[in-house]
Amino acid sequence: TVFKEDGKTPFPNAMVEIWQADDEKGYDNTTDDFGYRGSQRVAKNGKYHFITSLPKPYPLSPGSTTYRPAHIHMRISGDGQQDLITQIYFKDDPHLEKDPSSKSPEAINRILKIKENSKKDEMVEFNVVMQKEFKPSPEVFKKLSGIYEMKDESLVEFYKDGDMLFVKRNGQIIEGLFYKGNNTFGSGTKDLKV
């Protein structure tokens, strides 16, 4: 269920988007098939559900012995509430403790137990409580939007989508930042002061 910021009122018509790595541990960011991606509007009672496979862990970087645990990315958005981009993980995954994202204290409520439903299908339950939307002035987005060359010569692009500031590195979306007020954008684990 997706709830408004009070944690009790269902958030009807919110958009829930999910994406995950395929069996080859890659993301479909370039084809029109959008494999292992889905989206839906929640019902009037705030309920949503997706049917998918359990994602595969993959190395944090090429040649790394540290693996990203199995995870599913999510974006939840709707009028009057702050967009949320997050990831869910699965209990007992051996890679949880070494992964920088899943070992963060903020991830504790997103590490979900896999249960069986009445049809003997494996399932997880993830309820979402949204936050009240903070909107920066359009000038803030204009000031930040653009392509920047980093010290390692990679290119990073900042651009606005809805009420969020997205970050692309070499054409790949790596972060979605929400406005926290006081000229600060955040992702839950880090802040960007403008």
Side-chain angles (χ1 to χ4, degrees):
T1 305
V2 179
F3 297 101
K4 292 188 176 185
E5 75 272 7
D6 64 7
K8 299 175 187 172
T9 307
F11 186 19
N13 209 35
M15 175 64 76
V16 179
E17 302 167 72
I18 65 166
W19 62 98
Q20 70 190 61
D22 60 22
D23 289 339
E24 303 301 316
K25 303 170 182 112
Y27 290 90
D28 183 356
N29 296 319
T30 57
T31 75
D32 291 336
D33 296 333
F34 296 107
Y36 289 88
R37 294 176 175 269
S39 64
Q40 67 177 246
R41 295 266 178 206
V42 303
K44 288 182 183 179
N45 62 2
K47 301 281 185 189
Y48 71 97
H49 81 276
F50 292 92
I51 298 172
T52 189
S53 60
L54 187 64
K56 303 272 195 263
Y58 57 83
L60 193 59
S61 59
S64 176
T65 57
T66 302
Y67 275 66
R68 293 290 338 265
H71 62 281
I72 297 175
H73 299 267
M74 299 181 75
R75 179 181 181 186
I76 302 98
S77 57
D79 292 339
Q81 305 291 164
Q82 187 66 50
D83 285 13
L84 171 67
I85 295 180
T86 191
Q87 298 175 39
I88 59 172
Y89 306 97
F90 307 96
K91 284 192 190 258
D92 301 322
D93 187 308
H95 305 290
L96 289 170
E97 291 184 17
K98 291 186 179 178
D99 177 66
S101 297
S102 62
K103 75 177 182 182
S104 165
E106 289 85 8
I108 191 73
N109 294 324
R110 296 181 284 115
I111 300 173
L112 308 175
K113 183 177 181 177
I114 298 175
K115 307 176 202 173
E116 279 191 357
N117 65 16
S118 59
K119 299 176 186 176
K120 303 285 187 198
D121 296 323
E122 290 184 328
M123 62 163 284
V124 294
E125 182 176 339
F126 184 57
N127 295 318
V128 177
V129 178
M130 302 297 283
Q131 292 183 1
K132 191 69 179 162
E133 182 177 43
F134 290 100
K135 289 189 174 183
S137 69
E139 289 77 31
V140 171
F141 284 112
K142 285 180 187 174
K143 179 180 176 182
L144 294 173
S145 294
I147 298 174
Y148 300 85
E149 184 173 349
M150 301 290 105
K151 289 179 183 177
D152 66 0
E153 297 184 8
S154 65
L155 297 178
V156 174
E157 178 184 3
F158 290 89
Y159 67 95
K160 178 184 184 296
D161 184 3
D163 59 1
M164 296 192 74
L165 182 66
F166 281 86
V167 184
K168 272 187 186 178
R169 181 180 295 257
N170 296 330
Q172 178 83 15
I173 298 172
I174 60 168
E175 194 86 57
L177 305 169
F178 60 91
Y179 189 65
K180 296 175 72 171
N182 195 26
N183 291 324
T184 303
F185 285 85
S187 66
T189 57
K190 57 186 165 190
D191 290 343
L192 171 67
K193 187 90 169 165
V194 294

